Amino acid sequence: MDPLGFEHHDHRRCVATALAAAQAHCARHRLNLTPVRRRVLELLLEGHRAMGAYDILDHLREEGLGAQPPVAYRALDFLVSHGFAHKIERLNAFIACTDPETVHTPAFLICRGCHAVAEAQAEPTRGMLGRAAAEAGFEIEQAMIEALGRCPNCREGEAAPCA
Amino acid sequence: MDPLGFEHHDHRRCVATALAAAQAHCARHRLNLTPVRRRVLELLLEGHRAMGAYDILDHLREEGLGAQPPVAYRALDFLVSHGFAHKIERLNAFIACTDPETVHTPAFLICRGCHAVAEAQAEPTRGMLGRAAAEAGFEIEQAMIEALGRCPNCREGEAAPCA
DNA sequence: CTCCATATGTTATAATATAATATCTGCGGC
DNA sequence: GCCGCAGATATTATATTATAACATATGGAG
């Protein structure tokens, strides 16, 4: 998929590419992409949507990769802390990062129709928020930006039926 | 404290003022500010920080206003849905709104030192996020912006000790 | 007074997350 | 080799956050 959007795409290929990239990144940075961690990332990439820790755990359990919550949470912690995945606080769910190589402040566009989630770039230290923080003397270290709304696909299906 | 900041202030007075304003607002809009709802708002205003639903519930229980989770959650739902309070997703906690009369997109500055939370104004449909959404054809209906960092008071206590 | 809408009370349980402890595994040093 | 350590995993138990479902009360409209 396009990292910014809701468009259709060659999904099998994007999973394989992202997984290979993650593996390469881990090799370069001496990170240990263990089978569980790798599989969780793969599940997130395949799902291509926000998945709960217990959704993940169900898959792991079926595959004999672990049956208890900490297994899923530890793998997710690893992925999140190294930028391979993000947590969507609004949904208590996790999603694969669309661009792990770039340090960025992600913003998420969450469709309330189909529950798809797109990742966008944000720049919290600019704009009104940055100004307000600067005025208050607050130092922003990390920001979470999640927008709820309608994706283009879901907007098509509704529209004004009046008249 | 000033509604937008981390400054000290006449707290007793700000609680009373906000509570009176809420009461007036409810009267004008035919909203039912029942004792539990009113007390929960007062607790949030007094606490002047993000409080968990179960923190609230503890107080209610002590005061004989309700002992089960739904009591707290229902009151919080009322307050949030009418703009008297906000939920901080990042903390799974709730905080009194500093400006219920103005329709706004709040952004929160959460201090990781003292856990104070300040409310700022944001404008999600402008800036990078708005542009990204527009490009993707996504319609933002609601946004949640939560920044983690250090408030001015906590920044003072640290600072570079080198040299 | 009755009906109805709204609010409250209560029980039970769902969903999300972590603490604490034990075990395993690979690997550098000796 | 094998000791000891660091990181990873496994398991048990429990904490924390949230809601479903249903029963009861309360106050105003007709």
Side-chain angles (χ1 to χ4, degrees):
Chain A
M1 87 168 149
D2 180 85
L4 286 177
F6 297 98
E7 303 84 12
H8 292 289
H9 64 289
D10 181 346
H11 195 48
R12 193 126 41 154
R13 193 153 166 282
C14 93
V15 171
T17 305
L19 213 46
Q23 197 132 25
H25 180 96
C26 285
R28 272 200 308 285
H29 294 79
R30 308 203 184 282
L31 297 174
N32 194 351
L33 190 63
T34 63
V36 177
R37 292 169 177 176
R38 187 190 150 94
R39 182 61 182 135
V40 171
L41 176 56
E42 191 175 26
L43 286 167
L44 289 176
L45 287 162
E46 284 170 353
H48 205 271
R49 59 197 168 79
M51 300 175 75
Y54 283 76
D55 294 340
I56 298 285
L57 184 57
D58 288 343
H59 286 276
L60 296 181
R61 184 179 290 126
E62 280 171 18
E63 298 168 14
L65 280 171
Q68 272 60 45
V71 174
Y73 281 102
R74 277 191 301 239
L76 288 165
D77 281 350
F78 171 87
L79 296 173
V80 168
S81 67
H82 292 98
F84 298 118
H86 298 293
K87 180 170 187 185
I88 311 289
E89 295 286 345
R90 181 71 185 237
L91 303 176
N92 292 318
F94 301 83
I95 193 164
C97 177
T98 54
D99 184 9
E101 291 302 323
T102 308
V103 173
H104 62 295
T105 297
F108 299 99
L109 307 175
I110 306 168
C111 179
R112 67 173 167 76
C114 62
H115 304 109
V117 178
E119 185 176 341
Q121 298 291 330
E123 180 50 278
T125 58
R126 290 206 184 290
M128 285 182 74
L129 180 57
R131 204 167 339 118
E135 273 169 26
F138 185 92
E139 181 188 19
I140 295 178
E141 292 173 348
Q142 193 199 116
M144 225 207 56
I145 302 172
E146 298 174 8
L148 231 58
R150 294 292 245 171
C151 79
N153 304 325
C154 290
R155 288 172 73 189
E156 247 175 66
E158 44 184 39
C162 31
Chain B
M1 109 159 98
D2 179 87
L4 284 175
F6 297 99
E7 305 84 12
H8 294 290
H9 64 292
D10 180 345
H11 195 47
R12 195 127 37 154
R13 193 154 166 282
C14 93
V15 170
T17 306
L19 212 47
Q23 198 134 24
H25 180 96
C26 284
R28 271 199 309 286
H29 294 79
R30 309 203 182 279
L31 297 174
N32 193 352
L33 190 63
T34 64
V36 177
R37 291 169 178 176
R38 189 189 148 93
R39 182 61 183 136
V40 171
L41 177 55
E42 191 175 26
L43 286 167
L44 289 175
L45 286 163
E46 283 171 355
H48 206 271
R49 57 197 168 78
M51 300 175 75
Y54 283 76
D55 295 339
I56 298 284
L57 184 57
D58 288 344
H59 286 275
L60 296 181
R61 183 179 291 125
E62 280 171 19
E63 298 169 15
L65 280 170
Q68 271 60 47
V71 173
Y73 280 103
R74 279 193 295 236
L76 288 165
D77 280 351
F78 171 87
L79 296 173
V80 168
S81 66
H82 292 98
F84 299 117
H86 298 293
K87 179 171 187 185
I88 311 288
E89 295 286 344
R90 183 71 185 236
L91 304 176
N92 292 318
F94 301 82
I95 193 164
C97 178
T98 54
D99 184 9
E101 291 300 324
T102 308
V103 173
H104 61 294
T105 297
F108 299 99
L109 306 176
I110 305 168
C111 178
R112 66 172 168 76
C114 61
H115 303 108
V117 178
E119 184 175 341
Q121 297 292 330
E123 181 48 279
T125 58
R126 292 208 182 290
M128 284 183 76
L129 181 56
R131 203 164 343 114
E135 272 169 25
F138 185 92
E139 180 189 19
I140 296 177
E141 293 172 345
Q142 190 199 118
M144 132 162 335
I145 301 173
E146 299 174 8
L148 233 58
R150 294 293 244 172
C151 79
N153 304 324
C154 290
R155 287 171 74 188
E156 247 175 64
E158 45 183 38
C162 32

